[in-house]
Amino acid sequence: MKEKKILETQIPAVVPTMKMSRRRMLGGAAALGLALVQDSFGKVVQEAEPLFDVPKDPTKILGVPPGTIGTRSPFEQPKKIPSITSSRTPLQDLFGTITPSDLHFERNHGGVPFIDPEKYELVIHGMVKKPMRFTLHDLKRFPSFTRICFIECSGNFRTGKAELTPQEICGLTSQSEWTGVMLSTVFREVGIDPKATWFLAEGNDAAVMTRSIPIEKAYEDAMLVYAQNGEALRPEQGYPVRLLLSGWEGNTQIKWIRRIELTDQAFMTREETSKYTENIAGGKIRQFSLLMDARSIITFPSYPLQIQRGWVEIRGIAWSGRGKISSVEVSTDEGKTWYPAALQEPVLSKAHTAFRFLWQWNGKATVIMSRAIDETGYYQPSYRELAAARESKGGYHFNPITAWEIKSDGHVYLVSDRT
Ligand SMILES: Nc1nc2c(c(=O)[nH]1)N[C@H]1C(S)=C(S)[C@@H](COP(=O)(O)O)O[C@H]1N2
Ligand SMILES: [Mo]
């Protein structure tokens, strides 16, 4: 007991009080390479100061003892970009494909509710043999299942200026390893009326968010998840339980889920009539556009980096709600020629997939871009194709090829409408 107290007071005393000038930070961090370049985003650098007083020789002073919780190196300060209703994942600061839980994007219609897991209940009723209530404990008694997949908001698109980072353009997508129970398992318990074709999912937040879901998804792969990346769900992601509909638009994946009602028709809730519909050509509107189409983005190099002539490993992520990514093609001459990028194994279904393409930059101004192709043969569309098909330049489900202009001095800028 005594020892624990000493440790806890020691850690903050050693860690956050140390200071360092900006010059020393840049010098000291030089060994971090890429991380240093990324740290030079105006905002991030300012927030990273003041930094630690780094010892000249770490072998000459005793290090910080283990704590009750891990920390992130103060040299690494990736941040979400929050607004009142959402926050965006810093895609350009991440490696691999799992989003650290504290950097998962957020989209909340009525804020994050505070829910006591001991009082949590999920009610399932409507066209069922036996309406039932499940506590969190009940849900955890069912056979568990784990999968990796992304969640993406259907409004994940931003354009309008050259000074946009991957995070700002499409940071409303994140990936986790999720654990919970298959919805079909729980449905077997209540006994679904064979005439039921839809179910309503309702959240326990101030928005009481509701969506109607076709029942096929429950039998295909829907889950009620209570864990994310090895620990309980984060409150921001729906603690204690959320609906996970892999590959479908984020807004259907009801967080803090408290009620499921089985029916034989869609409910036509506010979210599916006044919202979450999009224009298509001919003055028509698409409703229940549930699948997320294939998309990719080059996260390195990207705004606001400046690259050097010579070898550049172009890196990015690609994903599709329809299944696996089958290939990613990269162009370094503004879309005239395309080459296949290498995909990082394992390539999982409905999951962010990392790609890379080794390129020798000759120092001439050019435009680089990537396009994703999924196992159903779907090709990520160009901006012009999409704008023509939708008769609009944005909105929900807008997943155009993203292009980066490399100026002759190596500076990188977004050119959204040049594809
Ligand atoms: N109960 C509830 N569920 C919700 C929402 C909400 O506001 N309330 N937002 C939805 C939207 S629009 C998206 S994109 C995803 C975002 O999930 P995340 O915040 O875990 O990233 O949750 C969905 N589920
Ligand atoms: Mo969303």
Side-chain angles (χ1 to χ4, degrees):
M1 240 2 240
K2 212 173 185 185
E3 195 191 337
K4 196 174 163 215
K5 251 192 181 146
I6 294 166
L7 291 182
E8 277 168 0
T9 50
Q10 256 181 358
I11 297 165
V14 178
V15 180
T17 54
M18 298 187 275
K19 289 205 170 128
M20 186 171 149
S21 73
R22 180 179 169 129
R23 245 177 87 220
R24 272 191 67 195
M25 180 199 117
L26 294 174
L32 295 173
L34 182 62
L36 170 70
V37 186
Q38 293 189 326
D39 261 352
S40 62
F41 293 177
K43 253 193 207 152
V44 178
V45 166
Q46 274 159 26
E47 287 181 19
E49 288 180 287
L51 276 181
F52 283 27
D53 194 3
V54 182
K56 278 201 189 74
D57 182 352
T59 67
K60 293 295 183 276
I61 68 162
L62 206 54
V64 176
T68 51
I69 197 136
T71 60
R72 186 168 280 142
S73 163
F75 291 109
E76 305 293 336
Q77 296 294 325
K79 294 240 157 56
K80 297 202 264 188
I81 301 177
S83 70
I84 293 171
T85 55
S86 69
S87 67
R88 301 173 159 256
T89 293
L91 299 173
Q92 67 283 346
D93 297 336
L94 305 185
F95 302 91
T97 56
I98 297 290
T99 310
S101 301
D102 59 357
L103 295 174
H104 197 287
F105 88 87
E106 269 177 71
R107 172 74 181 96
N108 309 316
H109 292 70
V112 176
F114 192 45
I115 295 174
D116 179 348
E118 290 303 322
K119 303 219 168 91
Y120 174 80
E121 265 186 2
L122 170 66
V123 172
I124 306 188
H125 67 126
M127 295 174 69
V128 298
K129 284 203 191 78
K130 190 170 46 151
M132 286 179 80
R133 284 171 201 279
F134 299 92
T135 64
L136 181 58
H137 180 69
D138 295 334
L139 293 177
K140 287 182 175 170
R141 284 186 63 197
F142 284 112
S144 63
F145 189 79
T146 295
R147 81 168 295 169
I148 292 172
C149 64
F150 70 83
I151 293 179
E152 182 181 15
C153 178
S154 55
N156 193 17
F157 177 67
R158 196 178 277 179
T159 184
K161 57 176 182 174
E163 296 84 9
L164 289 177
T165 63
Q167 175 171 28
E168 290 166 316
I169 298 163
C170 63
L172 296 177
T173 187
S174 307
Q175 175 147 288
S176 300
E177 183 199 74
W178 306 100
T179 298
V181 49
M182 299 306 292
L183 186 57
S184 54
T185 306
V186 183
F187 274 9
R188 201 174 310 131
E189 197 74 8
V190 293
I192 304 296
D193 182 332
K195 291 200 199 76
T197 48
W198 292 80
F199 67 89
L200 182 83
E202 181 183 86
N204 199 9
D205 53 336
V208 193
M209 182 142 174
T210 46
R211 281 294 323 246
S212 315
I213 313 293
I215 204 159
E216 292 77 30
K217 188 66 174 168
Y219 296 116
E220 190 196 337
D221 61 2
M223 292 176 68
L224 292 167
V225 294
Y226 42 74
Q228 171 186 13
N229 298 334
E231 60 176 348
L233 277 190
R234 296 265 166 155
E236 298 85 358
Q237 266 66 64
Y239 182 81
V241 183
R242 91 176 293 163
L243 185 62
L244 183 76
L245 304 178
S246 65
W248 282 22
E249 53 183 16
N251 67 71
T252 60
Q253 309 189 40
I254 298 298
K255 304 193 273 188
W256 317 290
I257 189 168
R258 71 171 184 190
R259 187 168 74 91
I260 292 179
E261 182 175 347
L262 279 296
T263 60
D264 55 5
Q265 57 187 310
F267 279 77
M268 299 297 165
T269 68
R270 188 180 80 94
E271 308 296 348
E272 47 216 29
T273 49
S274 67
K275 294 186 71 183
Y276 301 125
T277 56
E278 61 273 346
N279 296 340
I280 50 170
K284 292 189 176 164
I285 290 189
R286 235 175 24 154
Q287 197 183 19
F288 295 108
S289 40
L290 301 165
L291 260 181
M292 295 308 293
D293 286 319
R295 186 160 183 187
S296 68
I297 184 163
I298 292 172
T299 53
F300 178 85
S302 60
Y303 175 79
L305 300 183
Q306 182 178 18
I307 59 165
Q308 307 292 312
R309 185 189 294 246
W311 290 109
V312 175
E313 188 177 65
I314 295 175
R315 300 181 189 134
I317 51 168
W319 63 99
S320 170
R322 296 163 184 269
K324 289 184 184 175
I325 287 295
S326 61
S327 61
V328 176
E329 295 175 344
V330 169
S331 173
T332 56
D333 58 4
E334 202 172 349
K336 285 184 211 80
T337 46
W338 294 87
Y339 296 98
L343 301 186
Q344 178 61 57
E345 297 285 341
V347 175
L348 301 174
S349 184
K350 306 171 188 178
H352 286 175
T353 302
F355 67 86
R356 50 182 189 270
F357 179 78
L358 197 57
W359 174 48
Q360 198 169 29
W361 184 49
N362 58 13
K364 290 208 183 96
T366 189
V367 172
I368 64 170
M369 53 182 95
S370 64
R371 66 180 177 205
I373 301 133
D374 71 22
E375 62 178 339
T376 68
Y378 176 96
Y379 260 77
Q380 184 182 2
S382 69
Y383 184 84
R384 284 188 203 121
E385 285 170 328
L386 203 52
R390 296 285 172 73
E391 292 175 351
S392 94
K393 297 192 164 170
Y396 296 121
H397 293 273
F398 216 75
N399 59 329
I401 292 172
T402 303
W404 298 106
E405 178 171 19
I406 317 278
K407 304 268 191 200
S408 53
D409 67 359
H411 275 112
V412 186
Y413 292 98
L414 173 69
V415 282
S416 8
D417 47 0
R418 291 253 291 272
T419 76

